[in-house]
Amino acid sequence: VKRYQGADTVVWCNFDPQTFTLSFQAVFDDHQRGMAGWRGHRAKFTPATSAEWKAWKAMDLKPMKQIEFAEFIERNAKDITPGDSFPTDLAMLKMATELELNGEKRIKSIVRLQGGGTRLDYVNDDDANTIEAMQAFNRFQIGVPVFWSGLGYLLVASLKYRQDGGAVKFTYEMNRADVVHERAAKDVITTVQAGIGETPMLMGAFD
């Protein structure tokens, strides 16, 4: 835009707040007051979604077996961000791995803890007196960019579980991912506005 901009240059920004699709189109020969432009010379830009955002969104609200959950946490451990009452990536991986190893045992009880976690008591079917207590986290925090090469954003995910045939299946839910996605889109729009200088930006679709 800076290279070819002129008095008849306009940048159109098309943002859908429902689907969060975002695209930009610069028109270098747009209409001017009292004079129609050809509108034939254009430049388009559609921000690509980051690999991290795609990975977490792909498994959002989808039940995973214990070994699947452990492998998923291991692949994406770098995105888990510790904080007040939020576990580290190592703690999450340890929990996921130990849960996977206990896959053949059945749940005896589920106890909610004050620290925001959950204790799952397992009973070995071969020895009903053997109880293994372990710590599970019912929420964790991730820090990922929404768009490729963009800013990173913190997001809390709720961790849920259910018993299925004596094993545990885990499901996480990204809390208000829509708000984070909208914020990221607005940040990209602000960056583009600053980058094109005095060239006007119009909101809407350009056909």
Side-chain angles (χ1 to χ4, degrees):
V1 171
K2 284 187 174 180
R3 182 176 181 181
Y4 295 108
Q5 66 186 356
D8 53 353
T9 302
V10 174
V11 173
W12 292 80
C13 173
N14 186 19
F15 174 58
D16 188 333
Q18 301 300 319
T19 63
F20 306 108
T21 55
L22 176 64
S23 63
F24 301 87
Q25 188 163 189
V27 183
F28 296 100
D29 51 351
D30 207 340
H31 304 316
Q32 297 186 64
R33 185 183 299 273
M35 183 175 62
W38 288 102
R39 309 182 97 184
H41 296 86
R42 310 175 191 175
K44 298 180 180 179
F45 170 55
T46 301
T49 306
S50 72
E52 295 90 342
W53 186 260
K54 288 181 180 178
W56 285 98
K57 285 294 292 181
M59 299 306 297
D60 189 28
L61 294 174
K62 292 186 177 180
M64 287 181 278
K65 295 180 181 179
Q66 293 171 356
I67 190 169
E68 294 174 329
F69 179 70
E71 290 174 346
F72 180 82
I73 292 299
E74 185 175 25
R75 286 195 306 270
N76 301 281
K78 62 180 178 58
D79 300 331
I80 298 175
T81 307
D84 295 339
S85 74
F86 295 116
T88 64
D89 60 327
L90 293 177
M92 285 288 294
L93 185 57
K94 181 176 183 295
M95 179 201 70
T97 303
E98 291 182 0
L99 279 172
E100 188 271 324
L101 294 175
N102 283 318
E104 299 302 321
K105 300 181 181 180
R106 59 184 174 82
I107 296 177
K108 178 182 179 182
S109 64
I110 300 173
V111 182
R112 296 286 182 181
L113 302 177
Q114 292 182 348
T118 305
R119 190 180 74 243
L120 305 181
D121 289 338
Y122 287 87
V123 178
N124 192 317
D125 288 334
D126 296 331
D127 182 4
N129 294 322
T130 301
I131 298 177
E132 297 183 13
M134 62 182 303
Q135 186 78 20
F137 302 96
N138 59 13
R139 64 179 193 149
F140 58 97
Q141 184 174 244
I142 60 175
V144 295
V146 176
F147 296 105
W148 178 80
S149 192
L151 299 174
Y153 299 87
L154 292 177
L155 185 146
V156 176
S158 300
L159 185 60
K160 303 176 183 179
Y161 49 84
R162 64 181 177 87
Q163 188 174 0
D164 185 10
V168 181
K169 285 191 175 180
F170 280 88
T171 306
Y172 68 83
E173 179 179 4
M174 298 168 66
N175 299 341
R176 297 313 306 267
D178 56 332
V179 174
V180 176
H181 203 155
E182 182 178 1
R183 177 186 169 192
K186 289 181 177 178
D187 285 343
V188 172
I189 294 172
T190 299
T191 300
V192 172
Q193 280 183 314
I196 62 177
E198 297 181 356
T199 299
M201 177 183 288
L202 304 179
M203 301 298 297
F206 179 84
D207 297 324

